[in-house]
Amino acid sequence: MKQLIDFFSTLSPVYGALIISLFTWLTTAIGASSVFFFNSLNRKLLDATLGFAGGIMMAASVFSLLIPSIEMSTGEGFYKVFPATIGLIIGAFFIYLLDKFLPHLHINFKESEKEGIKTPWHKSVLLTLAITMHNIPEGLAIGVLFGSAAAGLEGASIGAAVVLGMGIAIQNIPEGFAISMPLRALGMSKTRSFNYGQLSAIVEPISAVVGAWAVFYFISLLPYALSFAAGAMIFVVIEEVIPESQKSNHTDLATIAFIVGFCIMMMLDVGLTQ
């Protein structure tokens, strides 16, 4: 792990964020490749993977983003937490707007329950857009943390950025599965299901590079940028991931998987960055 952190320490924040986010894209493709090995969608497994992914995203939001945002803020008392609070609200509102205007359909929902502006797009496209929306804040989180670490601000480090990338990479495996298998269930070919599944993560390298570049050159915005990414991820988890995992009759399994994912990300963040 030390060698990996030392390697990324030699790179610019943009290149570091790009490499890590390309890896998270790869793990999404690994998850999506499950369509070549399974012939049908196992709803119990799907709900468990959604819960697990939600737990990792929630823990990453708290330990990798919100806490560093508070630590690097100046002032005391309420003034110290003010940037984190404002950034979190703006980040959540950003995803709220995407949710209202971007046409999409959540995995366990009927086609009549699609959200966003009305469109004749096929259900497969709407499902892919739903997962793509999940991946925007994940890429931003990686980029913003790399930019913060490169700027040398308290509470951010290259180690924390690498660990965050590892956590997102882990949860992207079930996320890839969660998009390719439903597409296969709709009658799409295995190859097309895989392509749609892995392409849902193409926004991660893009948003990671944008996030790293922006915060590195606008250092005063770093606490806000970190909490912005956290707010966006938390909104996705509460508004989309958790409801999707609880839609069927496997609520206990999904909840336990959420807790497991949260604990794994918490241990990674605290254990590997101290």
Side-chain angles (χ1 to χ4, degrees):
M1 185 66 185
K2 184 179 183 302
Q3 290 78 6
L4 186 63
I5 294 174
D6 289 342
F7 168 74
F8 279 100
S9 298
T10 64
L11 303 176
S12 74
V14 172
Y15 283 126
L18 176 61
I19 292 173
I20 286 290
S21 58
L22 286 174
F23 177 66
T24 62
W25 184 7
L26 173 63
T27 58
T28 304
I30 292 173
S33 68
S34 60
V35 75
F36 295 112
F37 306 101
F38 300 96
N39 294 319
S40 61
L41 175 65
N42 185 311
R43 183 53 60 85
K44 181 182 291 188
L45 179 59
L46 176 61
D47 290 344
T49 58
L50 286 171
F52 179 80
I56 285 187
M57 291 175 69
M58 185 64 76
S61 299
V62 174
F63 294 98
S64 299
L65 299 171
L66 278 179
I67 292 177
S69 172
I70 294 171
E71 289 178 346
M72 69 177 56
S73 300
T74 58
E76 298 179 355
F78 289 112
Y79 291 103
K80 188 170 184 62
V81 79
F82 181 79
T85 303
I86 296 301
L88 188 150
I89 292 172
I90 296 175
F93 186 68
F94 170 73
I95 298 298
Y96 169 81
L97 291 177
L98 280 184
D99 188 63
K100 293 302 178 185
F101 292 101
L102 180 70
H104 63 284
L105 176 66
H106 302 307
I107 295 167
N108 284 340
F109 287 62
K110 300 176 182 178
E111 191 165 5
S112 60
E113 298 177 285
K114 60 186 178 183
E115 301 178 12
I117 60 175
K118 295 185 181 297
T119 174
W121 293 347
H122 191 269
K123 186 176 181 180
S124 59
V125 176
L126 297 176
L127 284 168
T128 304
L129 286 175
I131 296 296
T132 301
M133 189 165 62
H134 292 188
N135 290 326
I136 293 175
E138 294 172 10
L140 279 175
I142 293 173
V144 166
L145 199 52
F146 263 101
S148 302
L153 293 185
E154 181 181 357
S157 67
I158 294 297
V162 172
V163 168
L164 174 62
M166 290 171 57
I168 291 176
I170 292 172
Q171 70 96 30
N172 273 4
I173 296 176
E175 205 166 75
F177 169 86
I179 183 63
S180 64
M181 291 305 297
L183 292 177
R184 178 59 178 160
L186 289 175
M188 188 177 288
S189 69
K190 292 184 177 182
T191 300
R192 288 192 66 194
S193 298
F194 167 76
N195 287 335
Y196 272 71
Q198 59 89 17
L199 281 174
S200 67
I202 194 173
V203 295
E204 286 196 4
I206 297 171
S207 55
V209 167
V210 170
W213 178 86
V215 300
F216 187 68
Y217 288 100
F218 298 96
I219 295 177
S220 61
L221 297 178
L222 287 179
Y224 298 93
L226 283 170
S227 56
F228 176 94
M233 290 178 68
I234 291 172
F235 186 94
V236 166
V237 171
I238 296 175
E239 203 273 340
E240 298 172 14
V241 177
I242 292 178
E244 289 172 27
S245 71
Q246 303 285 322
K247 191 73 172 178
S248 301
N249 297 320
H250 310 117
T251 56
D252 290 341
L253 176 63
T255 302
I256 292 171
F258 179 96
I259 294 172
V260 171
F262 188 98
C263 290
I264 288 176
M265 185 62 211
M266 178 176 63
M267 289 188 294
L268 283 174
D269 189 273
V270 177
L272 295 180
T273 59
Q274 298 300 314

